[in-house]
Amino acid sequence: MIFILKYLGGFFLGGALGANDCSNVFGTAVSSRMIKYSTAVILSAIFVFLGAVIDGKAGIETLSKGLRNKSSVQVQQSNIDPVRRSSVAVKTVVATSFAAAITVTIMTLLKMPISTSQAVVGAIVGVGLMQKNVNLGGLEKIVICWITTPLGGAFFTIVFYYFFKYFLDKWKPSVFIYDPLMSLLLTVCGCYGAYALGANNVANVSAVFVGAGMMTTMQAACFGGIAIATGVLFFAKPVMTTVGKSIIKLNAFTAFVCVLSHAVTIHIYAEIGVPVSSTQAIIGALFGIGFIKGAHVINYGSLLKVFSGWLFTPVIACALAMFLWIIENLSVNLNGY
Amino acid sequence: MIIFSKNKELVCMIGKYLAEVQESLNAFRDAIRYLMENHLDEHFRIIAKKVHQHESHADDIRREIEKFMFGKSLLPETREDILNVIEILDKISNPCEDILSDFILQKTVIIPEIRTDFLELVDISCESSKLIAEAFWDCLGKCRKMDEYNVKIDDNESLGDSLEGKMIGAIFDAELDKVEKIIQRDFVKKLGTICNICEHVMDKLVICGIKRQV
């Protein structure tokens, strides 16, 4: 039972991440009907898995080491007996992954594009609070990333927008060339975005298992890749509308620029091994378009919804993790503990 | 390269469609000129039938374009814009057919007082239709002469309006009974709609052009 639970939590989190974050990759293109939903999810699932397996190790190693210093595995360094030590590690994994997964699922059902990283960090802090062991110093790097990710998305959007606009203005292709070219670029950048998403965010799903010594890095990458791809395939539709339509109306060109900026931003973080939020990257990219086109094009109602999601996600995940930790500790006599 | 070649067929179909619309206008002009110089005879009926044939053929091509476009690689917004313009362009031939059919059914001709202006308005309508076809290609292509076409078509519409007003005034000044005056006025009004439709299409093309700016 516990064996299933500890992996199910991670798989559930991966699925929720895929469902919520896939919208960041193809949401703009699908909502503006440039790419079919079915094509988008199949391509996303394939490239998310490839990204996780080929390029996801750096993030997993960073996060698993970070966890070792913070919560569950720190217990292993204490003087308590090995059986209890293992029990605490497993309970931490289950509480963290389930709390984060439930939070992301709730937000997905509410059609809110949120940050899975925030949910995971919120859950880790929740468990840490229950263990009276929160490493607030470690949060500094994460919070800096939460700020620099949307800024990076906006920055790349502005750079790419003017760069490609310059060439398009010079070239002025006919619609019969421009339209298929944009479809092709959107698909290619979407695949790249999915790859970067897998590479960057697989750590959020499975680094906890590496940190707890339950998986090797490669096993964790495969497990996380499959979990995210499953979420992409089956539950990605609701959030796509919010990202692609509600915040800002995009044409083919601006959609392409946003998807590319998002992909480049999170790929850079994947290369340096810091799991960041793809949602924050795409919202930053959309802001970049708002900056270029003028503030009037932004739907502030939808943006408020997104920001409130970002605010509540870590809080809800933290509260849920604390609740699950309490529940787990009420049932200490379960087999396998 | 395959994705780009997909649209060649579409380009060809749009070209054929615009040519058919223009042909129907040209046939209409021939019919009116013939009627002014001759009588309502069998030859006039043959020319009038040509207008109908071109209009009907343009309709067939329009339907083919509609079917074709939804399966090919143009972006949805472009598809909507092109179909929208083609749908309005389709209305250009309708007043031509109506006027010729009225001549045949009502067995009447244009009164001498307005013949010169009527022919001029027909020429302006044909020119506007030709300009619209060119503007359409420009809009789908490099989009560089849209302002120029817009000014020309707008001028034609204004000129058409003033000719229309002048002819209606002349009709009601003429020694005719009221029924004949109303019949003549209807001919003028129907002919005047061609320039208005061209201006409407041009407005749509200008918006499409603006949307295409990245």
Side-chain angles (χ1 to χ4, degrees):
Chain A
M1 173 72 176
I2 291 303
F3 177 81
I4 293 169
L5 264 185
K6 64 189 179 186
Y7 290 106
L8 188 69
F11 200 83
F12 183 19
L13 175 61
L17 188 152
N20 198 289
D21 288 15
C22 169
S23 59
N24 303 326
V25 180
F26 276 109
T28 49
V30 170
S31 296
S32 43
R33 295 178 295 150
M34 290 162 207
I35 295 173
K36 278 184 200 168
Y37 173 74
S38 54
T39 312
V41 289
I42 290 167
L43 286 173
S44 294
I46 294 168
F47 281 90
V48 153
F49 178 75
L50 289 175
V53 174
I54 297 168
D55 238 351
K57 287 165 206 157
I60 292 174
E61 278 163 14
T62 306
L63 208 63
S64 59
K65 279 171 196 164
L67 284 172
R68 242 176 236 128
N69 294 333
K70 272 187 268 172
S71 55
S72 68
V73 193
Q74 199 170 51
V75 180
Q76 291 174 7
Q77 293 159 355
S78 63
N79 296 325
I80 57 175
D81 68 274
V83 177
R84 180 163 159 64
R85 195 190 303 155
S86 161
S87 147
V88 172
V90 170
K91 279 195 283 186
T92 303
V93 168
V94 172
T96 309
S97 49
F98 267 101
I102 291 167
T103 308
V104 179
T105 305
I106 291 168
M107 293 305 188
T108 304
L109 292 173
L110 292 172
K111 299 182 182 181
M112 289 167 98
I114 51 106
S115 160
T116 313
S117 313
Q118 284 182 325
V120 171
V121 170
I124 289 172
V125 170
V127 173
L129 283 171
M130 295 313 289
Q131 293 174 345
K132 296 186 178 72
N133 178 28
V134 181
N135 179 7
L136 290 173
L139 278 176
E140 193 183 310
K141 186 181 172 187
I142 294 165
V143 173
I144 288 170
C145 288
W146 287 355
I147 297 163
T148 54
T149 306
L151 285 179
F155 170 77
F156 282 117
T157 295
I158 293 165
V159 172
F160 289 143
Y161 181 88
Y162 286 110
F163 179 77
F164 287 109
K165 186 183 186 305
Y166 175 79
F167 285 106
L168 282 173
D169 283 346
K170 287 264 172 206
W171 180 25
K172 280 264 178 194
S174 74
V175 287
F176 305 108
I177 293 175
Y178 177 84
D179 284 19
L181 180 70
M182 277 299 144
S183 288
L184 180 72
L185 285 174
L186 271 167
T187 310
V188 171
C189 288
C191 293
Y192 172 41
Y195 179 90
L197 174 73
N200 190 294
N201 274 219
V202 69
N204 284 330
V205 177
S206 51
V208 70
F209 297 110
V210 180
M214 290 155 62
M215 283 182 189
T216 63
T217 307
M218 191 39 135
Q219 285 170 337
C222 290
F223 174 80
I226 291 168
I228 299 171
T230 308
V232 170
L233 279 174
F234 298 107
F235 311 104
K237 206 164 189 176
V239 188
M240 276 200 184
T241 338
T242 308
V243 172
K245 253 184 190 166
S246 305
I247 297 166
I248 193 167
K249 195 171 186 292
L250 298 168
N251 59 23
F253 178 70
T254 47
F256 152 67
V257 169
C258 283
V259 173
L260 181 63
S261 310
H262 155 266
V264 169
T265 307
I266 57 169
H267 196 198
I268 288 171
Y269 280 106
E271 287 302 314
I272 55 176
V274 180
V276 291
S277 163
S278 67
T279 309
Q280 287 171 342
I282 197 78
I283 298 295
L286 292 172
F287 248 120
I289 295 295
F291 181 79
I292 293 163
K293 300 270 180 189
H296 64 279
V297 298
I298 298 170
N299 181 343
Y300 288 99
S302 293
L303 203 60
L304 187 69
K305 187 179 168 186
V306 171
F307 282 142
S308 58
W310 290 2
L311 186 71
F312 288 118
T313 299
V315 177
I316 294 170
C318 177
L320 268 173
M322 290 164 82
F323 175 72
L324 289 173
W325 180 261
I326 294 167
I327 297 286
E328 281 177 331
N329 282 283
L330 285 175
S331 52
V332 285
N333 293 328
L334 277 172
N335 288 336
Y337 271 69
Chain B
M1 286 304 109
I2 296 166
I3 56 162
F4 299 116
S5 62
K6 265 186 186 178
N7 285 325
K8 277 185 185 165
E9 203 178 330
L10 180 62
V11 173
C12 190
M13 284 163 82
I14 292 174
K16 274 186 193 166
Y17 175 77
L18 293 173
E20 282 299 329
V21 172
Q22 193 55 44
E23 279 303 311
S24 73
L25 263 286
N26 291 342
F28 171 68
R29 181 168 53 191
D30 293 346
I32 297 292
R33 277 184 185 157
Y34 181 85
L35 189 64
M36 299 285 184
E37 290 162 12
N38 302 281
H39 300 287
L40 218 161
D41 56 15
E42 197 50 39
H43 185 68
F44 174 78
R45 286 191 173 84
I46 290 168
I47 308 175
K49 204 175 174 186
K50 267 189 188 172
V51 175
H52 173 73
Q53 281 168 345
H54 286 301
E55 199 273 334
S56 167
H57 195 200
D59 264 353
D60 295 342
I61 299 172
R62 179 177 58 83
R63 282 186 206 105
E64 269 181 60
I65 291 172
E66 283 170 359
K67 273 187 216 160
F68 189 89
M69 277 177 78
F70 281 103
K72 300 295 164 183
S73 57
L74 288 185
L75 297 172
E77 206 170 11
T78 315
R79 285 202 297 251
E80 279 164 18
D81 287 342
I82 292 179
L83 290 176
N84 202 1
V85 168
I86 285 177
E87 210 166 287
I88 307 168
L89 265 175
D90 201 47
K91 290 174 186 159
I92 287 182
S93 311
N94 295 346
C96 303
E97 261 196 295
D98 282 355
I99 290 169
L100 297 182
S101 135
D102 284 351
F103 282 141
I104 294 167
L105 295 173
Q106 295 171 15
K107 295 179 180 60
T108 184
V109 289
I110 295 295
I111 55 169
E113 288 87 340
I114 61 164
R115 280 187 179 184
T116 315
D117 289 337
F118 196 87
L119 269 176
E120 195 182 340
L121 189 52
V122 170
D123 287 339
I124 290 168
S125 303
C126 285
E127 195 198 333
S128 287
S129 159
K130 200 177 155 211
L131 286 170
I132 278 295
E134 288 171 18
F136 193 24
W137 283 125
D138 189 53
C139 179
L140 299 177
K142 298 216 177 262
C143 235
R144 283 191 176 140
K145 289 184 179 171
M146 293 302 282
D147 291 341
E148 211 178 295
Y149 287 120
N150 195 18
V151 169
K152 280 184 188 169
I153 285 164
D154 191 46
D155 286 349
N156 279 359
E157 201 271 336
S158 301
L159 188 60
D161 275 352
S162 72
L163 280 172
E164 199 181 318
K166 191 179 156 195
M167 282 190 275
I168 291 172
I171 290 165
F172 283 91
D173 285 341
E175 294 290 321
L176 296 166
D177 64 67
K178 277 192 177 169
V179 175
E180 187 58 29
K181 282 178 183 176
I182 288 165
I183 289 171
Q184 293 289 322
R185 187 199 60 185
D186 281 354
F187 285 137
V188 172
K189 278 196 165 288
K190 276 180 188 168
L191 183 59
T193 55
I194 297 175
C195 281
N196 293 338
I197 294 168
C198 288
E199 196 193 27
H200 186 38
V201 173
M202 192 63 221
D203 289 344
K204 294 273 175 198
L205 290 176
V206 169
I207 294 167
C208 297
I210 293 167
K211 279 202 270 184
R212 284 199 55 215
Q213 289 168 6
V214 289

